[in-house]
């Protein structure tokens, strides 16, 4: 009672069972769905803004985002909605997955956007500079800066992150690999070797994985460059 139809509609549209409502909106040309596998979108930006304003007004912002997260399969969108729903711990895996996939596709800016949300999630959880959950995200931040040609910034971030990391950080091998790659590009072969060997020492008891393969490949390049120097 007292809630506008707009707010009710937006809540319902976040539910996968809202097919009839979506069909009605498609028929009225209020939403469009060129590719049904990708969901739907509002035709008019102002309509979407009006609906979201109603959600804010009636204090259902977090509930709305929670419903959206439960209905979505895309890690990128789901992670963002979980963060807005006040569930930062649940958002972190999706945000890191989004950043990793974006880097694999060469979409560095998209990766950085996901990592910015990852920082927000960590901040909401009260994480400090020694928090062990930072390793994988910091490794991807270093990689992103390096791919943008911002080598000095990547090196500074790598030095700071490695200095405050500990063996308890689950993502420390990835962090050391990123730091080693940056040092190698800058021509600091002794530092690069130090980081990569430290990463491999931590990985020695783990099953072979992509980080291990990348570290062995990079170590071979470092040895090759040292032989030529």
């Amino acid at each position: 009672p007292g809630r506008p139809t707009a707010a009710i509609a937006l809540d319902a549209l976040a539910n996968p069972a809202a097919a009839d409502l979506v069909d009605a909106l498609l028929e009225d040309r209020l939403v469009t769905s060129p590719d049904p596998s990708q969901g739907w979108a509002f035709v008019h930006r102002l309509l979407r803004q009006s609906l979201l304003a109603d959600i804010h007004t009636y204090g259902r912002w977090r509930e709305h985002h929670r419903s959206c997260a439960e209905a979505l399969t895309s890690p990128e969108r789901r992670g963002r909605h979980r963060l807005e729903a006040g569930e930062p711990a649940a958002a972190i895996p999706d945000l890191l997955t989004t950043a990793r996939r974006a880097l694999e596709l060469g979409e560095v800016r998209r990766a950085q956007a996901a990592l910015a949300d990852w920082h927000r999630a960590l901040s909401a959880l009260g994480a400090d500079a020694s928090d062990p959950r930072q390793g994988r995200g910091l490794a991807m931040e270093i990689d992103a800066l390096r791919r943008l040609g911002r080598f000095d910034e990547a090196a500074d971030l790598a030095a700071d992150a490695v200095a405050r990391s500990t063996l308890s950080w689950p993502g420390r091998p990835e962090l050391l690999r990123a730091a080693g790659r940056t040092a190698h590009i800058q021509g600091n072969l002794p530092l690069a070797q130090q980081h990569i060997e430290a990463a491999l020492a931590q990985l020695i008891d783990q099953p072979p994985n992509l980080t291990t393969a990348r570290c062995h490949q990079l170590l071979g390049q470092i040895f090759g460059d040292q032989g030529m120097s």
Side-chain angles (χ1 to χ4, degrees):
R3 293 182 60 219
T5 302
I8 296 171
L10 196 56
D11 281 351
L13 288 170
N15 191 313
D20 290 343
L21 180 54
V22 173
D23 287 343
L25 291 174
L26 284 167
E27 185 176 342
D28 290 339
R29 298 183 181 179
L30 295 175
V31 300
T32 182
S33 181
D35 182 356
S37 67
Q38 298 298 316
W40 54 270
F42 288 108
V43 172
H44 303 291
R45 180 172 55 88
L46 291 178
L47 173 58
R48 180 178 182 277
Q49 291 175 343
S50 174
L51 294 174
L52 291 176
D54 283 337
I55 291 292
H56 270 297
T57 300
Y58 286 83
R60 297 178 58 85
W61 183 249
R62 288 192 171 186
E63 183 179 339
H64 161 66
H65 281 288
R66 189 173 296 112
S67 296
C68 289
E70 291 172 356
L72 292 166
T73 58
S74 161
E76 183 170 14
R77 296 176 63 195
R78 186 173 58 208
R80 192 178 305 119
H81 281 293
R82 280 177 170 163
L83 184 58
E84 294 296 338
E87 299 175 351
I92 284 176
D94 282 333
L95 296 172
L96 290 178
T97 295
T98 299
R100 175 180 57 78
R101 291 179 179 175
L103 285 174
E104 289 172 353
L105 294 171
E107 298 174 357
V108 180
R109 298 296 185 187
R110 184 168 147 238
Q112 288 184 311
L115 290 169
D117 285 337
W118 168 74
H119 274 293
R120 287 176 55 206
L122 283 178
S123 178
L125 291 168
D128 60 20
S130 63
D131 194 288
R133 291 169 291 191
Q134 298 178 81
R136 292 186 177 90
L138 288 172
M140 287 187 278
E141 283 196 303
I142 294 166
D143 286 340
L145 288 170
R146 190 184 70 247
R147 293 188 189 194
L148 291 173
R150 295 160 59 179
F151 301 118
D152 289 341
E153 291 177 68
D156 289 344
L157 178 58
D160 175 69
V162 170
R164 54 192 169 89
S165 69
T166 68
L167 292 174
S168 67
W169 285 30
R172 191 167 187 265
E174 290 97 321
L175 175 59
L176 289 165
R177 190 270 315 153
R181 178 64 174 150
T182 300
H184 179 240
I185 287 178
Q186 291 195 305
N188 191 337
L189 300 183
L191 181 61
Q193 181 178 344
Q194 175 185 327
H195 286 325
I196 298 305
E197 289 180 342
L200 288 171
Q202 273 196 253
L203 292 165
I204 194 168
D205 294 325
Q206 297 184 22
N209 56 47
L210 183 59
T211 300
T212 304
R214 285 175 172 172
C215 284
H216 279 298
Q217 180 184 36
L218 181 53
L219 192 59
Q221 293 173 354
I222 294 168
F223 287 154
D225 290 344
Q226 288 173 333
M228 292 186 293
S229 59

